[in-house]
Amino acid sequence: MSKESVTVAGIDCGTNSIRLKIARVDADGMHEVVPRILRVIRLGQDVDKTHRFADEALERAYVAAREFAGVIAEHPIDGLRFVATSATRDAENREEFEDEIERILGVRPEVIPGTEEADLSFLGATSVVNRDDLPAPYLVVDLGGGSTELVIGGDGVSAPTTQVQGAFSMNIGSVRMTERHLTNDPPTQTQIDEAVADVDEHIDEAFRTVDAGKARTIIGVSGTVTTMTALAMGLKEYDHTVVDGHRLSFEDAYAVDDKFLRMTRAERREYKTIHPGRIDVVGGGAVVWSRVLARVSEAAKADHGEAIDSFVASEHGLLDGIVLDYGRRLLAQ
């Protein structure tokens, strides 16, 4: 007897990039039909300052949406879900964006709150975790261009490891930190200090909601995390098959974060590992990432006495969560 399955397309439209994935979803999980396609569109350009989408940013988004429409047309699907996150939540002219996306793709973007974004990122990241060698609870950190989600799951005893126990969406990310603080090239020490203080303030707020100190494994998802991991691994070209699931020590993470934060954009451009669309904002992401790791490590030591000194980089996050969740809901219907 053939297993019931649905084929769904998911689009994750963030502050810096937009991604498409098409997969077949059945009782066993997700099976890729079209692996992730990523385009850097910088939709959140200046949104932190103007609270509006720039015309050229909208045009970049529409070009990517038309490309995705072409890909989707080649594969029979049972449904499409388009999810928009941080930048779209903050843009006053988002209706114009939503109308045009609906015209191009036939579905209206769902602008989801940070809490749902956190839940879906956790679902995506933990759906592929090898649970044998990673102790629970897992803290999933989804570091985007406009926001960063912290999500902690259960310990596997009092609550299932896949069950979200606490989540918080911080209004900080690689694009926001760069535009808000790191305006020189390279940034000055004063600008770096201001960025660190800003990040720490947001982490203080997040820790009041998320008991991050309970974590025993940190899973980092997003372009910043995977890019910095690839650089720390010394990869000459980005290779997601090698980065996905790689465990990196904090020591190596801090060193690479600091090095690339203090580089000029011209120096970063020499590294083929960094996507061209991330060259200018990767330092902003590095500040957020280093601070999150340091603060979670301190909290864990205070909570259960064990220092966390490494994290696992994952290629699976919000987009996987969108596809898996949507497919499961269609199957249930």
Side-chain angles (χ1 to χ4, degrees):
M1 190 178 115
S2 71
K3 228 181 281 177
E4 269 188 60
S5 70
V6 288
T7 302
V8 296
I11 294 176
D12 159 22
C13 182
T15 301
N16 200 40
S17 57
I18 186 168
R19 301 168 167 88
L20 164 72
K21 180 176 190 143
I22 303 176
R24 192 168 56 75
V25 178
D26 60 23
D28 292 334
M30 194 166 43
H31 315 275
E32 285 186 347
V33 175
V34 176
R36 185 182 68 184
I37 301 172
L38 175 142
R39 299 289 176 258
V40 174
I41 56 171
R42 191 63 56 81
L43 181 61
Q45 175 191 332
D46 294 331
V47 166
D48 193 55
K49 197 165 57 205
T50 64
H51 302 293
R52 291 181 66 76
F53 287 134
D55 291 343
E56 62 268 33
L58 286 172
E59 194 41 54
R60 291 193 294 269
Y62 302 153
V63 167
R66 286 190 281 270
E67 180 194 351
F68 289 178
V71 174
I72 291 166
E74 291 169 15
H75 300 274
I77 60 168
D78 297 300
L80 162 65
R81 187 176 188 204
F82 186 116
V83 166
T85 55
S86 176
T88 311
R89 288 195 284 267
D90 295 347
E92 288 161 2
N93 57 341
R94 71 189 231 191
E95 204 167 317
E96 175 192 338
F97 166 69
E98 290 166 8
D99 288 346
E100 185 60 18
I101 290 294
E102 188 170 16
R103 204 185 61 71
I104 296 169
L105 285 161
V107 297
R108 197 160 185 83
E110 286 178 64
V111 185
I112 62 171
T115 47
E116 187 181 351
E117 184 178 347
D119 284 354
L120 291 172
S121 293
F122 189 82
L123 172 66
T126 57
S127 66
V128 289
V129 160
N130 177 2
R131 296 196 180 81
D132 302 336
D133 56 354
L134 296 179
Y138 309 127
L139 178 76
V140 172
V141 184
D142 186 349
L143 200 173
S147 67
T148 297
E149 281 67 47
L150 298 181
V151 203
I152 191 150
D155 58 5
V157 182
S158 59
T161 54
T162 51
Q163 189 181 323
V164 172
Q165 297 291 96
F168 192 84
S169 181
M170 303 184 285
N171 238 6
I172 49 172
S174 59
V175 176
R176 262 190 227 269
M177 288 297 101
T178 302
E179 289 183 355
R180 203 182 282 176
H181 301 291
L182 310 176
T183 47
N184 284 32
D185 183 25
T188 64
Q189 186 58 49
T190 303
Q191 290 172 344
I192 292 170
D193 293 344
E194 284 169 1
V196 167
D198 192 359
V199 171
D200 274 343
E201 220 170 280
H202 282 86
I203 293 173
D204 288 340
E205 191 188 356
F207 278 11
R208 288 196 278 275
T209 303
V210 177
D211 200 348
K214 292 267 181 278
R216 288 178 187 266
T217 299
I218 299 174
I219 302 172
V221 302
S222 81
T224 291
V225 174
T226 53
T227 299
M228 299 319 275
T229 302
L231 290 166
M233 292 168 75
L235 300 185
K236 295 287 174 266
E237 302 262 329
Y238 189 81
D239 180 350
H240 70 93
T241 58
V242 184
V243 174
D244 187 34
H246 183 78
R247 190 192 275 270
L248 189 70
S249 73
F250 283 7
E251 204 180 326
D252 289 347
Y254 296 147
V256 81
D257 286 352
D258 194 60
K259 177 179 168 183
F260 282 85
L261 166 61
R262 295 172 190 280
M263 270 186 196
T264 64
R265 289 168 188 184
E267 286 170 324
R268 288 179 196 153
R269 218 163 269 125
E270 299 298 307
Y271 290 81
K272 299 287 171 277
T273 325
I274 308 175
H275 189 290
R278 296 192 196 283
I279 297 279
D280 59 331
V281 297
V282 81
V287 171
V288 178
W289 188 223
S290 280
R291 290 312 298 154
V292 168
L293 293 179
R295 294 289 304 276
V296 172
S297 180
E298 285 166 19
K301 191 110 176 85
D303 180 88
H304 51 72
E306 271 181 47
I308 301 178
D309 57 6
S310 65
F311 69 89
V312 176
S314 175
E315 283 279 344
H316 305 274
L318 179 58
L319 182 58
D320 294 70
I322 291 166
V323 171
L324 193 54
D325 173 68
Y326 184 48
R328 282 176 179 173
R329 283 191 289 135
L330 287 184
L331 279 174
Q333 287 165 17

